[in-house]
Amino acid sequence: MVKTLNPKNLLFVDSDDKQHYSLKQILNKIIEGDALEILKKIPEKSVDMVFMDPPYFLQLPKKKLKRWNVKTDVEGVEDDWDKFSSFEEYDIFIKTILLELRRILKENGTIWVISTYHSIFRIGNIMQDLGFWILNNVLWLKPNPMPNWLGVRFTNATETMIWATLGKDVKKYTFHKEKAKEFGIGKVGANVWEIPLCSGKERLKDEEGKKIHSTQKPVELLRRIILSTTNEEDIILDPLAGLGTTGYVAKTLARNFIMIEKEERYNKATLRRFELPLIFKYKEKKKKE
Ligand SMILES: C[S@@+](CC[C@H](N)C(=O)[O-])C[C@H]1O[C@@H](n2cnc3c(N)ncnc32)[C@H](O)[C@@H]1O
């Protein structure tokens, strides 16, 4: 079982420019810094599962978008970390990280990558070109999506998660089929998970009541991923951790984690988050056969 963590010991800021970390140094820590540099220092074949939630590269216009029916502002992802000068620059960012993740994953490990239509097809293409073998795309269906913008296209209520192994020949990866059946819609456990956007007490806010992070993922999403595709004591890596949802859920489910996040303000909030008990909103439902 994973031991209780003291949030004060959670942050690891690398100051001595080491070439490599030992696993002991970074296990159950947030490493503050640039993932492109830090990943190079993580030992090879050391992690069982990766969850990656990269920038979406939304390419929003400078002028605020208004909703067509109520004329309120659309809250998009306007953060600097979501900005790239071109698709080419974005692709290089994704490819550089994926190459390191190939080295760091254990042979039977798996990787999850989540994004919207803005970038998930590019990411899938890059993954296949690098030799990853796609096992599934799991669709996250949001019953409470952000309302439509200008009324010129369908409201986007999904994100896609690619789940893959290191290659076609990998057969001994972890998959708990009873969990897949429980989480997916319908009797067969289809690859569609209906989960609301994270809101209420789960959403981390600052003193003024503003969201700390524009794309905080629901605890329930990570719970399903971790329970269906890892075992207790496994090591889960999140290279672009935001508010640390992956590690926060991993810890509660007796898994180990390594997280990387470059923004100090997010890491400070993550440290506070780890002091709170995690309450799953969802009870494990028994489906009728
Ligand atoms: C989509 S968000 C992840 C949200 C996270 N899953 C959560 O639930 O809070 C992507 C994160 O990647 C971080 N990021 C972007 N580029 C990075 C880099 N080169 N190194 C480390 N972190 C980076 C951003 O600061 C941002 O918090």
Side-chain angles (χ1 to χ4, degrees):
M1 288 288 280
V2 181
K3 301 202 179 59
T4 313
L5 290 169
N6 177 353
K8 291 190 180 62
N9 297 331
L10 203 67
L11 195 66
F12 179 88
V13 184
D14 185 8
S15 49
D16 57 7
D17 229 15
K18 283 208 173 60
Q19 291 302 302
H20 299 284
Y21 304 133
S22 68
L23 257 191
K24 204 172 149 218
Q25 262 178 313
I26 55 172
L27 203 61
N28 298 315
K29 304 257 185 228
I30 309 163
I31 313 175
E32 189 166 281
D34 185 348
L36 297 170
E37 293 306 316
I38 287 169
L39 285 170
K40 290 184 205 156
K41 305 181 186 187
I42 298 183
E44 67 177 291
K45 298 190 197 328
S46 58
V47 312
D48 299 280
M49 192 270 266
V50 170
F51 175 77
M52 175 157 98
D53 179 10
Y56 295 80
F57 190 25
L58 286 188
Q59 308 185 55
L60 294 173
K62 287 213 173 70
K63 195 166 169 267
K64 271 261 180 212
L65 289 166
K66 298 266 180 207
R67 293 202 176 96
W68 65 280
N69 49 355
V70 280
K71 303 286 181 228
T72 50
D73 284 346
V74 169
E75 288 174 53
V77 182
E78 283 153 26
D79 310 80
D80 284 345
W81 54 256
D82 203 53
K83 295 190 172 59
F84 293 81
S85 61
S86 60
F87 278 132
E88 195 187 359
E89 193 194 4
Y90 182 78
D91 290 355
I92 291 171
F93 174 80
I94 296 291
K95 190 172 172 183
T96 310
I97 293 185
L98 284 172
L99 275 169
E100 284 303 326
L101 294 175
R102 280 194 72 82
R103 186 184 61 75
I104 294 168
L105 261 177
K106 290 183 187 169
E107 276 166 23
N108 294 323
T110 61
I111 174 169
W112 289 82
V113 187
I114 181 169
S115 200
T116 49
Y117 68 91
H118 304 85
S119 44
I120 197 68
F121 301 108
R122 315 188 69 75
I123 295 171
N125 192 359
I126 295 169
M127 288 178 79
Q128 286 184 323
D129 284 353
L130 292 180
F132 287 99
W133 185 252
I134 298 179
L135 296 166
N136 274 125
N137 69 314
V138 177
L139 217 57
W140 169 24
L141 177 63
K142 306 167 188 176
N144 56 344
M146 301 272 257
N148 200 350
W149 296 10
L150 305 170
V152 293
R153 55 173 104 163
F154 299 102
T155 295
N156 187 45
T158 59
E159 296 200 23
T160 300
M161 295 183 287
I162 293 174
W163 180 47
T165 59
L166 282 174
K168 194 176 179 180
D169 298 332
V170 177
K171 303 286 182 224
K172 290 188 177 164
Y173 54 86
T174 303
F175 178 57
H176 299 294
K177 57 178 180 298
E178 69 292 349
K179 291 287 170 202
K181 215 171 160 195
E182 183 185 317
F183 300 150
I185 64 168
K187 284 187 182 167
V188 290
N191 60 337
V192 182
W193 292 351
E194 187 174 333
I195 303 171
L197 282 170
C198 109
S199 61
K201 279 194 184 147
E202 192 185 324
R203 189 93 208 197
L204 299 193
K205 310 235 174 68
D206 63 18
E207 298 77 32
E208 291 163 17
K210 287 198 194 120
K211 291 176 205 163
I212 295 179
H213 199 293
S214 53
T215 71
Q216 184 186 333
K217 294 297 172 298
V219 157
E220 177 62 16
L221 193 74
L222 270 302
R223 186 181 81 93
R224 293 187 189 191
I225 289 174
I226 290 172
L227 284 178
S228 55
T229 61
T230 67
N231 296 310
E232 284 195 6
E233 301 201 21
D234 274 2
I235 302 177
I236 301 171
L237 168 68
D238 185 336
L240 303 162
L243 292 178
T245 313
T246 305
Y248 180 58
V249 180
K251 183 195 125 199
T252 312
L253 298 175
R255 274 72 169 169
N256 295 289
F257 63 84
I258 301 166
M259 299 196 283
I260 306 170
E261 170 57 55
K262 66 177 179 177
E263 303 261 348
E264 189 187 6
R265 65 197 162 114
Y266 297 152
N267 291 335
K268 278 191 175 155
T270 305
L271 296 186
R272 287 202 302 277
R273 190 177 196 191
F274 268 75
E275 289 176 16
L276 304 171
L278 182 145
I279 302 161
F280 289 120
K281 285 188 197 156
Y282 290 73
K283 290 269 173 288
E284 304 214 353
K285 289 185 285 199
K286 284 258 179 308
K287 277 190 195 164
K288 282 186 197 142
E289 289 302 316

